[in-house]
Amino acid sequence: MPPRVVERQEIMDRFLSLEVARVTERAAVAAALLRGRGNEKAADQAAVDAMRREMNQIPIQGTIVIGEGERDEAPMLYIGETIGTGVGPKVDIAVDPLEGTTLCAKNMPGSIATMTLAEGGTLLNAPDVYMEKIAIGPGYPKYVVELDASPAENIRRLAKAKGVATEQITALILDRPRHADLIKAVRATGAAIQFITDGDVAGVIHTAEPETTGIDIYIGTGGAPEGVLAASALSCTGGQMYGRLILDTDEKRERARVMGITDPKMIYGIEDLVRGDCVFAATGVTTGSLLKGVRFKPGMIETDTVVMRSASGTVRWIRAEHRQFEKFEMTTPK
Ligand code: VTB
């Protein structure tokens, strides 16, 4: 058989998939040094700095599309910031250097460092507002669940498609007062609810593998930036997600308009949130059900990372042992 011809672009993004892992590893270690110190800002800043430092070494012309803030919040990885060596492919970047800052500051399960690198111009430029979200795993007909169907209807339809009773469905929901009605409606179907206090990027990713995670559906309102990151992960694993920005003030509608959003009520599917190929990576900061957190051991630091590539649907779990500590900022306590 003749050798398979690998396109230049494919070589590039296969190569970049290791680079993104390196970036989230560095950010995770930086944040992990500040686990349990009660200082969300410091942990977040450490992750941001590490992420920026590492990304600036990658041969890309990157633009931050989903970042830590909008333009004049300079010290963060702000929307519109250019990143990378400036040589290489034009790419859109979504980052959440420390997803679940509170989890990290309180040393609670489930904080991660995460990013997505996508073809230039393909990620939704979402403002930092709330997004209504619903997500399920792969293997179901399209629109088996819908954002505008009632929660009870969605649970019933999902149970039917799965061939089980509604009592055998588990929904993952962010524990927030704004979800009181949603929680009541889901409970009324007999379905189980698993709560998270933060971290809905990982929350949505749980739906991709219900057999392992026990989560069939994610429902609720969380951050829009987190929505784009989660959608990029599902674009690699399969699954469905629908999202709608909550633009409930003139100021938010104007911010969205400036970012190119003309229909404030639009329901986005995965292919609208991520319109091309992407590479997603996440490294555990504190141990959660998706990833183990950073381990500081004598002579080495261990990290667990997941890297996903949409072009191939490959999901890699990378346990890394780092021995060159000078690559990390070890000035703070562990
Ligand atoms: C979620 C969650 C984040 O924000 O998006 C949530 O994934 C939504 O905002 O980890 P509220 O906290 O205001 O409800 C986080 O908890 C923090 O960014």
Side-chain angles (χ1 to χ4, degrees):
M1 239 188 12
R4 190 168 79 92
V5 179
V6 182
E7 298 285 335
R8 243 191 112 217
Q9 181 55 44
E10 192 187 344
I11 294 174
M12 197 60 209
D13 75 56
R14 287 166 80 176
F15 157 81
L16 287 175
S17 48
L18 196 53
E19 295 295 314
V20 294
R22 211 170 263 130
V23 172
T24 56
E25 284 172 358
R26 297 270 189 269
V29 171
L33 288 163
L34 293 166
R35 281 184 303 218
R37 316 270 157 188
N39 192 340
E40 306 185 3
K41 260 207 153 129
D44 196 30
Q45 188 68 58
V48 166
D49 293 345
M51 206 173 237
R52 180 189 280 117
R53 205 176 322 115
E54 201 60 31
M55 271 198 292
N56 270 332
Q57 303 194 21
I58 308 181
I60 48 168
Q61 303 177 58
T63 306
I64 303 288
V65 169
I66 298 289
E68 286 281 278
E70 290 166 35
R71 203 168 292 258
D72 30 344
E73 299 160 48
M76 307 314 253
L77 281 159
Y78 60 90
I79 297 172
E81 180 172 339
T82 54
I83 201 109
T85 60
V87 183
K90 283 203 162 78
V91 292
D92 277 4
I93 294 173
V95 296
D96 201 342
L98 181 55
E99 154 67 339
T101 45
T102 308
L103 298 175
C104 176
K106 292 186 173 172
N107 208 352
M108 285 166 63
S111 57
I112 58 174
T114 184
M115 73 173 283
T116 291
L117 190 146
E119 287 176 74
T122 62
L123 290 182
L124 178 77
N125 293 20
D128 192 1
V129 296
Y130 282 119
M131 179 187 264
E132 293 171 73
K133 307 172 196 177
I134 189 160
I136 55 170
Y140 295 108
K142 221 168 174 227
Y143 301 118
V144 67
V145 297
E146 289 178 280
L147 214 46
D148 278 336
S150 70
E153 179 69 21
N154 280 325
I155 300 281
R156 271 196 294 272
R157 287 202 221 161
L158 181 63
K160 191 159 175 237
K162 202 179 171 185
V164 299
T166 50
E167 283 76 9
Q168 280 164 279
I169 295 293
T170 300
L172 192 74
I173 299 179
L174 256 177
D175 197 1
R176 293 290 185 277
R178 64 175 177 271
H179 290 152
D181 289 346
L182 168 66
I183 291 162
K184 232 187 259 162
V186 171
R187 288 221 193 284
T189 68
I193 299 177
Q194 182 168 318
F195 287 107
I196 47 171
T197 62
D198 287 287
D200 73 347
V201 175
V204 169
I205 294 173
H206 276 72
T207 63
E209 234 186 282
E211 302 76 19
T212 313
T213 62
I215 302 301
D216 299 293
I217 182 166
Y218 174 91
I219 326 179
T221 299
E226 287 89 342
V228 175
L229 276 156
S232 68
L234 288 196
S235 80
C236 304
T237 58
Q240 297 177 48
M241 175 174 160
Y242 302 98
R244 178 168 42 210
L245 300 172
I246 301 189
L247 300 170
D248 50 3
T249 63
D250 284 343
E251 186 264 337
K252 287 181 198 163
R253 280 188 287 274
E254 178 55 19
R255 258 163 62 206
R257 194 192 60 77
V258 170
M259 294 172 91
I261 290 159
T262 47
D263 177 2
K265 299 208 168 105
M266 175 158 170
I267 294 180
Y268 297 94
I270 292 177
E271 56 292 342
D272 306 305
L273 297 164
V274 187
R275 296 184 297 266
D277 286 343
C278 69
V279 180
F280 168 91
T283 302
V285 177
T286 54
T287 294
S289 49
L290 192 67
L291 289 157
K292 274 174 106 176
V294 176
R295 280 92 67 199
F296 295 94
K297 294 187 170 175
M300 76 163 85
I301 303 171
E302 271 180 15
T303 55
D304 275 20
T305 300
V306 61
V307 181
M308 310 183 186
R309 206 162 75 87
S310 69
S312 59
T314 313
V315 176
R316 288 190 172 80
W317 299 89
I318 304 173
R319 189 176 68 94
E321 298 173 0
H322 308 271
R323 292 194 173 75
Q324 287 191 327
F325 291 179
E326 62 276 16
K327 297 244 165 76
F328 302 96
E329 298 219 321
M330 298 291 290
T331 47
T332 33
K334 58 176 183 164

